[in-house]
Amino acid sequence: KPHSIMLAKKNPILPFEDEISLEFLSEKNDANLFFFGNSNKKRPHNIVMGRMFDGHVLDMIELGITNYEKISDFKGVGKRTGGRPLMLFEGQKWENDENLKKLRNIFIDFFRGEASPKVSLESLDHAMVLTAPENSGEIHFRNYLIAYKESGSNVPDIELIPMGPNADLSIRRKRFASSELWREATARSFQLEPKKVKNKKVNEMMERVGRIHIGKQDVYGIKVRKVKALRNSGKKKGESEEMNSPANEAAKS
């Protein structure tokens, strides 16, 4: 919440057998990500995570859940509503296994939220850790509350407190996009990217400031405006000097 919608109605949907129902609900609710949960005798405690592109299923992966622990099992701890987690993927298998690479990408799309240039330290209140051991096919999914402690400096000490939900996940079925479809879905449009404008920036007061570059100016050759008042004052001064000359005084006498 508030960036998700929970559908309480029990719809008979089988994502890997029939994608039409998922595509219909995705278009109806304007959702590009879907999280589906069900349980049956063949696949108990089952979840499906997936993404949509252009109104159709792009990729999805089915996970089995074991050793589940709810948030309510941990008394006295809880995260802030709407907070984004710090995500940590432990293990070399996240880099070497193609299925885990796709799963990591799906997890990041689900929990990263909107992109922001700066993040407040206080908003980072919980961590999500996914561990893939080398000798096991399971993925350990754990959540921790981040508690900030005084350290005597500007950088606080950090304590991780288990808070849930926790579970062990195992990959069951998956359906990934082809290389051509994936390339089309991840292509960035140049029209959507903001064009860089030279010599323009926004200052701390959110004001647009520009810089203008001009060539070398010849100060002595600049033509300035001739002020009429200055010309008249010079003419009157010359006339007053002529009136006070000795020849004019002799003529008066």
Side-chain angles (χ1 to χ4, degrees):
K1 291 182 178 180
H3 305 294
S4 62
I5 301 173
M6 182 175 181
L7 303 179
K9 185 178 179 180
K10 295 183 179 180
N11 297 295
I13 299 176
L14 298 175
F16 285 88
E17 285 75 18
D18 182 18
E19 300 178 358
I20 298 177
S21 300
L22 282 176
E23 295 170 355
F24 169 76
L25 292 174
S26 174
E27 184 178 1
K28 179 181 178 181
N29 296 282
D30 192 20
N32 292 325
L33 303 172
F34 64 89
F35 188 97
F36 176 80
N38 66 344
S39 182
N40 52 49
K41 186 177 181 180
K42 186 177 181 180
R43 297 183 181 88
H45 311 300
N46 197 59
I47 60 173
V48 179
M49 303 173 66
R51 297 176 288 194
M52 311 291 292
F53 172 69
D54 197 21
H56 301 283
V57 176
L58 175 65
D59 53 9
M60 55 183 171
I61 188 167
E62 187 178 61
L63 303 172
I65 300 177
T66 56
N67 302 324
Y68 177 70
E69 295 177 315
K70 305 185 296 295
I71 298 179
S72 58
D73 295 338
F74 300 86
K75 305 298 182 181
V77 295
K79 70 178 187 66
R80 187 181 295 109
T81 302
R84 288 180 292 180
L86 288 172
M87 303 188 69
L88 176 63
F89 297 88
E90 290 186 322
Q92 290 296 326
K93 294 177 69 175
W94 294 106
E95 301 295 336
N96 302 328
D97 193 295
E98 292 297 327
N99 293 333
L100 292 184
K101 285 183 179 180
K102 290 290 186 180
L103 179 60
R104 178 177 59 182
N105 190 261
I106 291 175
F107 263 103
I108 292 175
D109 274 355
F110 263 84
F111 295 101
R112 68 178 178 178
E114 297 181 359
S116 57
K118 295 182 180 180
V119 178
S120 174
L121 186 62
E122 296 180 355
S123 65
L124 302 177
D125 59 349
H126 68 291
M128 182 181 296
V129 182
L130 292 98
T131 306
E134 293 291 337
N135 56 353
S136 175
E138 291 186 337
I139 302 165
H140 303 308
F141 176 76
R142 302 292 184 267
N143 284 276
Y144 298 91
L145 177 69
I146 301 176
Y148 296 98
K149 306 292 183 179
E150 294 184 0
S151 63
S153 63
N154 294 332
V155 181
D157 290 335
I158 294 177
E159 180 182 356
L160 297 180
I161 304 173
M163 73 168 191
N166 299 333
D168 293 335
L169 309 176
S170 58
I171 298 178
R172 291 177 175 171
R173 292 182 292 178
K174 68 270 186 185
R175 182 178 299 170
F176 298 140
S178 61
S179 57
E180 293 79 9
L181 181 60
W182 179 257
R183 191 180 302 110
E184 182 182 356
T186 56
R188 298 182 62 181
S189 175
F190 293 101
Q191 297 178 355
L192 300 178
E193 295 182 357
K195 295 182 179 180
K196 294 183 179 180
V197 182
K198 293 183 178 180
N199 304 320
K200 286 187 180 181
K201 63 180 182 179
V202 179
N203 59 14
E204 297 178 355
M205 302 300 294
M206 301 305 293
E207 298 173 339
R208 185 176 296 179
V209 181
R211 179 181 296 178
I212 300 176
H213 297 273
I214 58 177
K216 186 177 180 180
Q217 298 292 315
D218 185 6
V219 180
Y220 299 99
I222 296 177
K223 295 182 180 181
V224 297
R225 181 182 177 186
K226 296 181 180 180
V227 183
K228 187 176 181 180
L230 297 177
R231 294 201 304 269
N232 293 339
S233 61
K235 184 177 180 180
K236 291 180 179 179
K237 183 177 179 182
E239 292 178 354
S240 61
E241 290 178 355
E242 292 180 359
M243 291 296 294
N244 296 329
S245 61
N248 293 336
E249 291 180 356
K252 290 180 180 178
S253 62

